[in-house]
Amino acid sequence: MNAKNRHMTLRRYPEGMPQEDDFALLEAPMPEVMDGAVLGRAMYLTVDPYIRARMSARFAEGYADRTALGEPIGGEAVYEVVQSRHRGFKEGDLFAAFGGWQEFCALPGEGLRRVDPALGAPAHHLGALGMPGLTAYAGLTRLADAKPGDAIFVSAALGGVGSVAGAIGRDMGCRMIGVSSSAEKCRYAVDSLGYHVCIDRTAPDFATQVSAACPHKIDVNFENVGGDIFWLALSHMKAQGRVVVCGLVSGYNDDAPPPGPDLTGVLLREIALKRLVVKGLMVADFWSLYPEFQAKVGALIRSGAFAPKVHVVEGIENAGRAMIDMLSGRSFGKTVVRVGRDPTLG
Amino acid sequence: MNAKNRHMTLRRYPEGMPQEDDFALLEAPMPEVMDGAVLGRAMYLTVDPYIRARMSARFAEGYADRTALGEPIGGEAVYEVVQSRHRGFKEGDLFAAFGGWQEFCALPGEGLRRVDPALGAPAHHLGALGMPGLTAYAGLTRLADAKPGDAIFVSAALGGVGSVAGAIGRDMGCRMIGVSSSAEKCRYAVDSLGYHVCIDRTAPDFATQVSAACPHKIDVNFENVGGDIFWLALSHMKAQGRVVVCGLVSGYNDDAPPPGPDLTGVLLREIALKRLVVKGLMVADFWSLYPEFQAKVGALIRSGAFAPKVHVVEGIENAGRAMIDMLSGRSFGKTVVRVGRDPTLG
């Protein structure tokens, strides 16, 4: 076993898009394993937009602690138990927890979320079968008031949340309209994620294609991005449509609100005129749905209806680069960083 | 009977706060009364913020036709039947309709909303017992998901909608927190409208008083104003609180959105972090609630629990001035313009 525990931290808070130089790999002593705790070796670290949000004073406020300089960057990971002082866990068991970007983590065994590889590959437990998937499931089944036949618009269709939204919405009988950042990703969204149509936001006629894809307008906008795409979706909302505000990744790199004019009044006016229902989504309200959600999405994966794509980056030392690629749309699929051996891959 | 029918129209579209000179009193021939129609003589014309909104290309779009130059300014009125060619109406009957700012109006009798003076004075049928009151009732009973004990914040507590919201919310067992534009109005809101507390927005320590009035934060913001007061209420919202977007009078005089920065992303972020539910309210969705609403509010008036205040301006020629006073907060109570004799006043 390592004598040292490497972790990825911030050297400084990024301004705008993070740079590799903002990150630093540090060594710390191995954690102590108290009575009732388990020591996990990280197999996969997640790389999600919320991790960037937590690097910003503006976005972290009121939401979670801002990532501290020098400490492991906060985020979920899948672990293999390498030492157990909790009678519910034995060596080789898998679990997921918010352990941050580090190689080893000691955590109380009580309440840890077990990872069942029979449901799907361990990396999926950070994506389609994990928190991003639960976010999509809770948003569509609990907040969106979606009925069969509803047109559901999903920005970032290839993202951790968006890719699962496609599969769940299709299974609910909805018409799924996605947006992604390349023609190749859009093909994948249609072929493997459940989207009926997916539109490349880099296409010169993007807005026209969105209009053509929504001839009867949008019943539900599942918002992951914010900014221009949010306004485009808003202009296509049906009266009494629903907006689920899940993420606003387009703004996470900005330390201050963009220049004006201030369109908040325009937004409120549209909400009134169209009698929209806009709901905020925080997945922490829905942990109790994990079993129901994993049963549903696990079945969709096993049936072949849903083939979530995972983008694996090797080595904790590359986690910063992985985040930059994810934020800039260069990665293809849910990004994870492989840190330790994945026993399910042999 | 008059040979001519006077109406108040716009000489030009107002820029910013309307000026008296933007309005013009014109004469038109008396309307023809077709078979099945009734001829009404206006007793009271309503003066409501939505009428200003309909003078603006920006606010009228997607909502209703913009008021046409030269035509009667659009708005509801209470009429006395002076000639009937519909078997359901006889001379002296009262009704309310969107006849606009004119002395006489001929309308099909089918579907006209009857005014029952036994429920309350005719002028109230444009306010507490009319569309503004129905707006408050629908918002609180159908959209706000309000439970006894909830703290409900109402900007423009003395307005046509806000004054009724106070009474209805109090009757529902909620804690009603109002905002108005003078200490005198605030006293009235507490003494006669049902508010537990009302805060003068011209007070130097206004924001501090709002914080003190909401020690447990706000469950429901019933938004009539927009702008700074909206943001102040937002900062006091409880997690999973509800915002009913009814009116945005603070912006109705603006032809363009205010300068930046653009805070729409900040608003969406707050909605997500606090898991708010924001709903748009258009009273036209709720006409079917008229009987239930009038029974409830009529009873509150008769019991003395609710004493809605009406600000009566005499003469159609003063309707423009009445609107300016209403928009600038100088009027006290729901503004109506008396045009014809009110038989209930003798």
Side-chain angles (χ1 to χ4, degrees):
Chain A
M1 191 179 294
N2 306 32
K4 293 289 183 183
N5 181 21
R6 294 189 301 165
H7 69 261
M8 185 63 89
T9 187
L10 286 176
R11 194 190 302 278
R12 70 182 75 84
Y13 289 110
E15 293 180 11
M17 177 65 77
Q19 307 297 314
E20 286 195 65
D21 186 56
D22 295 331
F23 297 92
L25 196 63
L26 298 184
E27 282 191 350
M30 285 294 288
E32 236 186 301
V33 186
M34 313 293 275
D35 194 36
V38 299
L39 180 67
R41 176 166 58 199
M43 294 167 56
Y44 296 100
L45 312 176
T46 199
V47 179
D48 282 326
Y50 74 84
I51 298 177
R52 173 64 182 94
R54 291 177 61 176
M55 295 174 184
S56 150
R58 176 162 104 86
F59 280 96
E61 183 207 344
Y63 163 45
D65 287 341
R66 189 180 187 191
T67 295
L69 301 182
E71 294 295 309
I73 287 167
E76 213 177 18
V78 167
Y79 301 88
E80 180 184 2
V81 174
V82 290
Q83 182 189 346
S84 177
R85 296 189 62 190
H86 185 281
R87 60 198 169 83
F89 285 90
K90 59 180 194 308
E91 284 185 32
D93 284 353
L94 306 185
F95 68 92
F98 279 88
W101 286 5
Q102 56 184 337
E103 293 178 299
F104 292 88
C105 191
L107 291 160
E110 213 54 50
L112 279 183
R113 176 161 77 83
R114 285 176 182 282
V115 163
D116 178 0
L119 281 170
H124 285 331
H125 287 259
L126 295 176
L129 291 168
M131 204 182 64
L134 178 62
T135 306
Y137 185 78
L140 287 180
T141 65
R142 296 306 195 270
L143 296 186
D145 194 20
K147 292 167 290 296
D150 277 1
I152 301 189
F153 186 88
V154 182
S155 46
L158 267 279
V161 176
S163 57
V164 190
I168 293 167
R170 177 132 193 173
D171 185 65
M172 291 169 71
C174 300
R175 178 174 164 76
M176 301 306 296
I177 302 149
V179 170
S180 193
S181 58
S182 76
E184 185 193 6
K185 290 183 189 178
C186 285
R187 271 194 303 277
Y188 193 88
V190 170
D191 291 344
S192 305
L193 299 180
Y195 282 92
H196 291 84
V197 57
C198 185
I199 306 157
D200 176 4
R201 64 177 158 78
T202 68
D205 61 341
F206 170 58
T208 310
Q209 287 192 52
V210 169
S211 299
C214 307
H216 307 296
K217 303 213 167 174
I218 297 169
D219 294 278
V220 174
N221 175 24
F222 194 110
E223 186 59 54
N224 300 311
V225 174
D228 291 347
I229 292 184
F230 171 79
W231 285 103
L232 183 65
L234 191 71
S235 74
H236 287 83
M237 290 300 294
K238 205 178 276 187
Q240 293 168 317
R242 283 81 65 199
V243 179
V244 177
V245 184
C246 171
L248 299 164
V249 66
S250 71
Y252 291 163
N253 283 331
D254 301 330
D255 285 327
D262 183 4
L263 299 178
T264 48
V266 176
L267 172 56
L268 293 172
R269 171 187 169 278
E270 286 296 300
I271 291 170
L273 291 186
K274 290 187 170 172
R275 298 93 87 202
L276 302 180
V277 178
V278 183
K279 297 183 183 178
L281 167 57
M282 294 291 277
V283 67
D285 295 339
F286 297 103
W287 296 144
S288 66
L289 297 184
Y290 250 119
E292 149 187 352
F293 145 69
Q294 288 190 328
K296 168 62 76 181
V297 173
L300 290 171
I301 293 175
R302 283 191 300 280
S303 76
F306 175 39
K309 193 165 177 65
V310 180
H311 174 65
V312 180
V313 173
E314 296 290 343
I316 190 171
E317 64 278 14
N318 295 314
R321 178 81 252 158
M323 163 165 279
I324 295 164
D325 287 347
M326 182 272 295
L327 289 171
S328 60
R330 277 194 295 271
S331 52
F332 184 169
K334 165 72 186 88
T335 301
V336 298
V337 174
R338 179 150 47 203
V339 174
R341 185 180 68 93
D342 178 349
T344 66
L345 298 178
Chain B
M1 189 180 297
N2 307 30
K4 292 290 183 184
N5 180 23
R6 295 189 301 164
H7 68 262
M8 186 64 88
T9 187
L10 286 175
R11 192 191 303 278
R12 69 183 76 84
Y13 290 110
E15 293 179 12
M17 178 64 79
Q19 306 298 314
E20 285 196 65
D21 183 59
D22 294 332
F23 297 91
L25 197 62
L26 297 184
E27 281 192 347
M30 285 294 287
E32 238 186 299
V33 187
M34 313 293 275
D35 194 35
V38 299
L39 180 67
R41 176 166 58 199
M43 294 167 56
Y44 296 101
L45 312 176
T46 198
V47 179
D48 283 327
Y50 74 83
I51 298 176
R52 173 64 183 96
R54 291 178 61 175
M55 295 175 182
S56 151
R58 176 162 104 86
F59 280 95
E61 184 206 345
Y63 163 45
D65 288 341
R66 189 181 186 191
T67 296
L69 301 181
E71 295 294 308
I73 288 168
E76 212 178 20
V78 167
Y79 301 88
E80 179 183 4
V81 175
V82 291
Q83 182 188 346
S84 176
R85 296 189 62 190
H86 185 280
R87 61 200 168 80
F89 287 88
K90 61 182 191 307
E91 283 184 32
D93 285 352
L94 305 185
F95 68 91
F98 279 88
W101 286 3
Q102 57 184 335
E103 294 178 299
F104 292 88
C105 191
L107 291 160
E110 214 54 51
L112 279 185
R113 175 161 78 85
R114 284 175 185 283
V115 163
D116 179 0
L119 281 170
H124 283 333
H125 288 259
L126 295 175
L129 291 168
M131 204 181 64
L134 179 62
T135 305
Y137 185 79
L140 287 180
T141 65
R142 297 307 196 271
L143 296 185
D145 193 20
K147 293 165 290 296
D150 277 2
I152 301 189
F153 185 87
V154 182
S155 46
L158 267 279
V161 175
S163 57
V164 190
I168 293 167
R170 178 135 194 169
D171 186 64
M172 291 168 71
C174 300
R175 176 173 165 79
M176 302 306 297
I177 302 150
V179 170
S180 194
S181 57
S182 76
E184 183 192 8
K185 290 182 189 177
C186 286
R187 270 193 303 278
Y188 193 87
V190 170
D191 291 345
S192 306
L193 299 179
Y195 283 93
H196 292 83
V197 57
C198 185
I199 306 157
D200 176 4
R201 64 176 158 79
T202 67
D205 61 342
F206 171 57
T208 310
Q209 286 193 52
V210 168
S211 300
C214 307
H216 307 294
K217 303 214 164 174
I218 297 169
D219 294 278
V220 174
N221 174 23
F222 195 110
E223 185 58 53
N224 298 311
V225 173
D228 291 346
I229 292 184
F230 171 79
W231 286 103
L232 183 65
L234 191 70
S235 73
H236 287 82
M237 290 300 295
K238 205 178 276 187
Q240 293 169 315
R242 284 80 65 200
V243 179
V244 176
V245 184
C246 171
L248 299 163
V249 66
S250 71
Y252 290 163
N253 283 331
D254 301 330
D255 285 329
D262 183 4
L263 299 178
T264 48
V266 177
L267 173 56
L268 292 173
R269 171 185 168 279
E270 287 296 301
I271 291 171
L273 291 186
K274 291 188 169 171
R275 297 92 89 203
L276 302 179
V277 177
V278 183
K279 296 183 182 178
L281 167 57
M282 294 290 279
V283 67
D285 295 339
F286 298 101
W287 296 143
S288 65
L289 297 184
Y290 251 119
E292 149 187 352
F293 145 69
Q294 288 190 327
K296 168 62 73 181
V297 174
L300 290 172
I301 294 175
R302 283 191 302 279
S303 76
F306 176 39
K309 191 164 176 67
V310 179
H311 173 66
V312 180
V313 173
E314 297 289 344
I316 190 170
E317 64 278 11
N318 295 314
R321 180 79 250 159
M323 162 165 280
I324 295 163
D325 287 346
M326 183 271 296
L327 290 171
S328 60
R330 278 194 294 272
S331 52
F332 185 169
K334 165 73 186 89
T335 302
V336 297
V337 174
R338 179 149 47 204
V339 174
R341 186 180 68 93
D342 179 349
T344 67
L345 298 179

